[in-house]
Amino acid sequence: MKEAIYTVPINEAYGSPEGCPLCALRAHSESSGIEFALGASVMEPDVRIQVNEQGFCAAHLGALLEKKNRLGLSLMLESLYARLIAKGPSGLSSFPCYLCQRRDAHMGHFYANIVYMWKTEPDFRVRFAARANCLPHTANLLETARKLTSRKEYEAFLGEAAGSCLRQAEGLHRDLSAFCRSFDYRSAAQVLDEDTKKAAERAAAHLGAV
């Protein structure tokens, strides 16, 4: 199958040797969303309307501030405040976040495309089975696969996606146990490798801390 535009970031993520591929795709979506919000889109009426209605969550507002594009951000916030004031008391409620919703929509497409590629591209299926996604992304991916596959296909997908995730969990459990035992006086002479020393950080990533 000829590589389509939407498969490029997926193939890149699953071609990387480390980390959760879907965490990498999420980071890609987050970064592109921040650049989009502060780029030429600030002058597009449809984007400004969406931002006026949805605003930004605290985390994304902080990320936008870090880019130090005060004009771009101020243009967005100026029209947001104009909308808020015009609505009066009814506007004083929490906003859904424009960038959160954009990211989540992108992730939904990634999940669906991964399932499609798994079904249609044997080479990708080999790479997919060899990589482990973090626990939250595995759960989201399985939820999508349940809707887009037959029962037989889903059982195979479940075996590959959940299998790699659980194998990683078993390795993390061993490393966490080894790290904890190293603080026992009976294991004082034990030398830990770098992976074991960072077991807590690796486990946090596997549990979705990105």
Side-chain angles (χ1 to χ4, degrees), residues 174-184 190 192 196-200:
R174 287 193 299 271
D175 287 348
L176 287 164
S177 296
F179 181 80
C180 292
R181 287 196 304 272
S182 71
F183 286 84
D184 189 304
Q190 182 182 4
L192 302 179
T196 304
K197 291 178 182 177
K198 296 180 179 178

Side-chain angles (χ1 to χ4, degrees), residues 35-199:
E35 297 299 328
F36 176 81
L38 292 177
S41 63
V42 300
M43 302 308 296
E44 296 178 9
D46 59 331
V47 175
R48 297 281 282 275
I49 290 170
Q50 291 182 67
V51 171
N52 292 347
E53 292 293 336
Q54 299 170 8
F56 302 110
C57 67
H60 278 126
L61 189 56
L64 291 165
L65 283 167
E66 287 180 1
K67 288 296 182 180
K68 303 189 185 303
N69 181 347
R70 292 193 176 187
L71 176 58
L73 181 56
S74 294
L75 286 167
M76 286 286 191
L77 295 179
E78 178 191 29
S79 55
L80 185 152
Y81 270 100
R83 172 69 173 171
L84 186 153
I85 293 166
K87 291 181 71 173
S90 64
L92 301 178
S93 59
S94 61
F95 292 102
C97 175
Y98 170 75
L99 287 174
C100 283
Q101 294 196 43
R102 184 180 187 275
R103 177 202 63 212
D104 292 346
H106 282 188
M107 292 304 295
H109 290 306
F110 282 135
Y111 294 137
N113 289 332
I114 287 167
V115 174
Y116 175 77
M117 292 167 68
W118 178 88
K119 291 171 64 175
T120 61
E121 300 184 25
D123 289 345
F124 176 75
R125 184 164 176 172
V126 171
R127 293 197 300 276
F128 177 84
R131 296 296 309 282
N133 294 297
C134 70
L135 187 60
H137 283 142
T138 298
N140 292 338
L141 192 55
L142 290 175
E143 182 179 352
T144 300
R146 186 179 286 109
K147 300 173 184 176
L148 300 179
T149 58
S150 67
R151 178 176 295 183
K152 184 176 181 180
E153 287 173 333
Y154 179 73
E155 289 176 355
F157 190 90
L158 174 66
E160 294 177 18
S164 58
C165 183
L166 290 172
R167 284 193 297 274
Q168 188 175 58
E170 291 168 356
L172 286 166
H173 181 257
R174 287 193 299 271
D175 287 348
L176 287 164
S177 296
F179 181 80
C180 292
R181 287 196 304 272
S182 71
F183 286 84
D184 189 304
Y185 73 94
R186 290 168 293 186
S187 304
Q190 182 182 4
V191 178
L192 302 179
D193 60 28
E194 289 303 313
D195 279 349
T196 304
K197 291 178 182 177
K198 296 180 179 178

Side-chain angles (χ1 to χ4, degrees), residues 1-24:
M1 175 181 176
K2 185 177 180 180
E3 188 171 58
I5 292 175
Y6 72 82
T7 70
V8 172
I10 293 175
N11 278 322
E12 288 179 351
Y14 279 90
S16 174
E18 297 181 354
C20 167
L22 277 160
C23 284

